[in-house]
Amino acid sequence: MSLTKTISILYRKYPLLRISIVLLCIAAIIGIISLVTFETRRIPEITSITPVVGSAGDIMTIHGLHFGANRETSDYVEVGGSRITSNGYLTWSDTQIRIVLPTNVQDGLVIVGTETGRSKPVFFANTADIPVVIPPDTQTSLPVITSVTPSSGSYGTLITISGTNFGTIRSTSSVNFSANRDDTTQSTFTSSSTNDAQDDFDLQTIPANETNYDYEYWSDSEIRVRIPDGAASGPFSVHTEKGTSNVSQLEVTLPAGTKSYTNRRTYLLQLSEEIENLDSKNHTTVTMRVPRPVVNALQPMSELTESKPTPVIEDYKNTIIYQIELARATGKRARFTQNFVVSVYTLQTEINPNRVRPFTQKNRLLYLSATQADNLIHSKNEAIVAKAKEIVGRETNPYKQARLIFAHLFDNYEFQMRPKNAKNNVEDILQTKRGDAYDFAILYTTLVRALGIPCLPVSGILVDAGLKAQPHWWSEFYIENFGWIPVDLALAKDALNYKAFKKPENPRTFYFGNLDGQHIAFSRGWNEVKPALINSKVVQRPRSFAFQSIWEESSAGKVNYSTLWNDPIVLGIY
């Protein structure tokens, strides 16, 4: 029996089969019709418009799909809620529409509509409705100085600057004074940094110094600031983020003597640190705090020109902060490098000791901070206080007292290059009467501070004529109305393996009150850095080129790694 006859018999015999076949045929017909309808009723789609920002009269081109080959009466373009009238259409094709924007065009959505539906919108902006940033009126936003009282004074004198537009808080604003510097010998150095290195003009000014607590009050109409160490008679101005004020004149006098800053040298320094043998299976994080060279009158420029990798924070309490998660660097070696440009002057002072007066401003923050005991200077120790008083006897002149302490240590203490016990404290040095540059700086500072004279230990490097750098330590004491005075007992004793660019005729005389431009300071006084984490493990590096409480900090947990902190090296001098 043929297949045709078999199907015919089954078709006649089973009514359900007949109904099923009819339904299948109807479904097939409906599917074909739906497919054809879908193909012919595709929703328009906008892919882009040009221009996105325009104005009345501009020609807008709309690119997309399924617009239709020709514009039908039901097809339209809508811009900002208004439909384009028939005479606004220039061309219409399935993939492109060109229209003229009407005079009443508004910001809003662009939509193409056809009988198949509306496209997804895209945004158009009318140029006329875009707000224009009005430049600030510099005549009303720049800071303005109207008066200064008093108009003369010495270092540390508190002056009141009245005016407008100083800002309600100081933030990064500053008061910039004329600088007491002789720059007849100019540096030829040019920094690779685009915004960090100061030029010669900047080096002719000196801002009030935060670390000396020069700023005492700041408001939009009044500033109370102390004349900074290193300032000179001449113009001064207020600088804010809005710009620089008009200049006002100030006369600076030093009743007790003179200071001169000469022979500027600019150094290119490099610091580097390495972490090796990384072994941590948890998320231990190590934070590195790299000290930065300080900025003050003697060392007015200290700029970070390059840092690898990029630090988390470039400057926090005079340190650069890096962080590394050991688990991600297990088995690897991490290296950190920093390049600095630092300018340093030679400082020479001439003082008439008889014009130096006892301190009258003992409530100043500078006085209080530089006379109190801390982790480094144990100036309240009874043995220290007794020794200091024994040395100076009945002398009450602070300058003469500081000089008597210097002479006593110079004449009675032996300099040694490498102490047998690096952990010697000040009391031990008093007994052994031997020490290196670090011991002399700490002992001198402690004895002077014990007499109530502000004094700071300074930590940094000493650069010799061959550009070799070595960690070094010296001191600075403060005389009211005169400022900071340097003291370097180690160089005064001429006992270091050190070659100066120009050796002073009498090191003992020179290095009390004067300092050559081969000292680069990284810290003045003790930098108390607080831990960032609870129960963290911290590393402190004693007798290094900077005084700070934390150099490394690792989060809690089992950790195994080793670090190498290299001493700064000099890459060049200009």
Side-chain angles (χ1 to χ4, degrees):
M1 183 181 293
S2 66
L3 178 60
T4 303
K5 289 182 179 181
T6 301
I7 294 174
S8 177
I9 293 170
L10 292 173
Y11 182 79
R12 291 192 300 269
K13 186 176 180 180
Y14 298 104
L16 184 58
L17 178 60
R18 291 197 299 271
I19 295 172
S20 299
I21 292 173
V22 171
L23 292 175
L24 286 173
C25 292
I26 294 172
I29 293 170
I30 293 173
I32 292 171
I33 294 173
S34 299
L35 180 61
V36 172
T37 303
F38 177 78
E39 290 294 327
T40 58
R41 292 178 57 85
R42 290 174 295 183
I43 303 298
E45 177 184 345
I46 300 176
T47 56
S48 66
I49 63 171
T50 305
V52 176
V53 179
S55 56
D58 289 348
I59 296 175
M60 175 182 284
T61 302
I62 305 172
H63 301 276
L65 303 170
H66 315 315
F67 299 150
N70 299 289
R71 178 175 174 267
E72 304 297 337
T73 56
S74 59
D75 298 339
Y76 61 89
V77 173
E78 186 179 291
V79 181
S82 299
R83 293 190 181 185
I84 304 299
T85 57
S86 58
N87 59 358
Y89 297 97
L90 300 178
T91 62
W92 189 295
S93 70
D94 195 49
T95 59
Q96 185 184 92
I97 302 170
R98 297 175 70 237
I99 61 173
V100 179
L101 295 176
T103 56
N104 63 343
V105 65
Q106 301 293 320
D107 288 341
L109 304 178
V110 177
I111 298 171
V112 174
T114 68
E115 62 179 2
T116 62
R118 289 162 60 90
S119 68
K120 292 183 178 180
V122 296
F123 187 77
F124 166 79
N126 185 359
T127 306
D129 294 331
I130 296 177
V132 178
V133 177
I134 300 175
D137 183 357
T138 56
Q139 298 301 317
T140 59
S141 61
L142 285 178
V144 176
I145 298 174
T146 57
S147 66
V148 55
T149 306
S151 59
S152 64
S154 53
Y155 296 159
T157 298
L158 185 65
I159 63 174
T160 300
I161 304 170
S162 300
T164 57
N165 302 325
F166 298 148
T168 55
I169 58 174
R170 189 174 72 83
S171 185
T172 58
S173 300
S174 62
V175 180
N176 297 339
F177 298 81
S178 296
N180 175 22
R181 299 186 184 116
D182 177 8
D183 271 313
T184 55
T185 303
Q186 297 294 346
S187 167
T188 59
F189 174 79
T190 300
S191 172
S192 59
S193 171
T194 58
N195 60 358
D196 282 339
Q198 297 183 22
D199 56 24
D200 290 335
F201 174 79
D202 291 326
L203 291 174
Q204 299 305 315
T205 65
I206 181 171
N209 196 320
E210 290 183 19
T211 59
N212 287 337
Y213 306 99
D214 289 337
Y215 295 103
E216 294 212 351
Y217 178 77
W218 192 290
S219 72
D220 195 53
S221 59
E222 182 178 292
I223 299 170
R224 293 197 291 271
V225 62
R226 294 186 182 274
I227 299 175
D229 194 355
S233 296
F236 73 93
S237 60
V238 176
H239 181 78
T240 71
E241 61 179 8
K242 300 294 185 181
T244 302
S245 73
N246 59 307
V247 298
S248 187
Q249 295 294 319
L250 183 72
E251 182 182 2
V252 178
T253 59
L254 300 181
T258 61
K259 275 187 172 184
S260 62
Y261 298 85
T262 60
N263 300 323
R264 171 162 57 97
R265 290 187 173 90
T266 301
Y267 298 90
L268 177 59
L269 303 181
Q270 184 176 86
L271 277 66
S272 62
E273 308 82 40
E274 300 173 8
I275 300 181
E276 296 181 327
N277 304 321
L278 305 178
D279 181 17
S280 178
K281 296 180 174 57
N282 53 25
H283 296 288
T284 299
T285 298
V286 174
T287 301
M288 313 277 285
R289 291 180 171 87
V290 181
R292 299 174 58 110
V294 301
V295 175
N296 59 5
L298 187 60
Q299 192 168 289
M301 184 179 77
S302 170
E303 301 295 346
L304 176 67
T305 58
E306 186 177 7
S307 179
K308 295 181 180 179
T310 302
V312 177
I313 302 176
E314 282 195 3
D315 192 352
Y316 175 72
K317 298 198 71 171
N318 210 55
T319 63
I320 304 169
I321 298 181
Y322 298 95
Q323 283 189 335
I324 180 173
E325 189 173 319
L326 299 187
R328 295 184 178 181
T330 299
K332 297 180 181 180
R333 173 183 173 184
R335 179 177 172 82
F336 308 84
T337 60
Q338 309 83 40
N339 285 1
F340 292 95
V341 176
V342 184
S343 284
V344 184
Y345 285 83
T346 295
L347 170 63
Q348 291 182 287
T349 64
E350 292 185 8
I351 300 177
N352 183 342
N354 295 326
R355 292 186 178 181
V356 174
R357 297 290 180 262
F359 289 94
T360 61
Q361 303 178 43
K362 294 186 178 182
N363 60 335
R364 280 187 62 182
L365 288 176
L366 180 148
Y367 181 88
L368 296 173
S369 65
T371 55
Q372 67 181 358
D374 56 33
N375 289 347
L376 200 61
I377 306 300
H378 304 159
S379 54
K380 301 302 181 183
N381 181 284
E382 292 183 0
I384 294 293
V385 175
K387 185 64 177 179
K389 291 181 177 180
E390 174 191 331
I391 294 171
V392 300
R394 295 182 178 182
E395 182 59 66
T396 58
N397 182 301
Y399 178 83
K400 293 180 180 180
Q401 287 180 329
R403 191 168 59 184
L404 285 170
I405 298 292
F406 172 86
H408 177 82
L409 296 182
F410 186 95
D411 293 334
N412 298 285
Y413 286 70
E414 177 187 350
F415 182 87
Q416 58 184 117
M417 291 294 296
R418 295 181 180 179
K420 294 181 180 179
N421 184 2
K423 296 182 179 180
N424 280 348
N425 55 36
V426 174
E427 293 81 359
D428 294 333
I429 302 169
L430 284 176
Q431 297 298 321
T432 63
K433 294 188 176 182
R434 292 193 303 271
D436 64 354
Y438 175 92
D439 298 323
F440 273 93
I442 298 300
L443 179 57
Y444 179 82
T445 302
T446 305
L447 289 169
V448 171
R449 195 181 288 189
L451 296 171
I453 302 173
C455 193
L456 296 175
V458 185
S459 182
I461 60 173
L462 189 62
V463 183
D464 68 11
L467 298 189
K468 293 182 179 180
Q470 58 181 306
H472 190 58
W473 304 270
W474 60 102
S475 304
E476 294 179 3
F477 68 94
Y478 189 87
I479 295 299
E480 193 170 274
N481 299 322
F482 190 82
W484 294 101
I485 300 173
V487 176
D488 191 332
L489 265 159
L491 287 185
K493 292 182 76 68
D494 198 18
L496 285 180
N497 182 17
Y498 162 72
K499 183 178 181 182
F501 289 109
K502 183 180 179 181
K503 186 175 179 179
E505 294 182 4
N506 187 336
R508 173 172 181 166
T509 301
F510 181 83
Y511 285 110
F512 180 84
N514 311 295
L515 205 65
D516 59 52
Q518 295 177 243
H519 292 66
I520 301 176
F522 277 81
S523 59
R524 297 173 67 247
W526 177 247
N527 187 9
E528 184 67 33
V529 180
K530 300 296 184 182
L533 302 171
I534 299 175
N535 298 325
S536 62
K537 300 176 181 178
V538 299
V539 176
Q540 202 270 316
R541 300 185 66 233
R543 306 176 72 93
S544 186
F545 61 91
F547 301 125
Q548 61 187 52
S549 56
I550 299 177
W551 291 66
E552 302 168 31
E553 180 181 5
S554 61
S555 56
K558 185 178 180 181
V559 59
N560 181 25
Y561 69 94
S562 60
T563 55
L564 173 63
W565 289 79
N566 297 301
D567 289 332
I569 61 174
V570 179
L571 299 179
I573 182 172
Y574 304 87

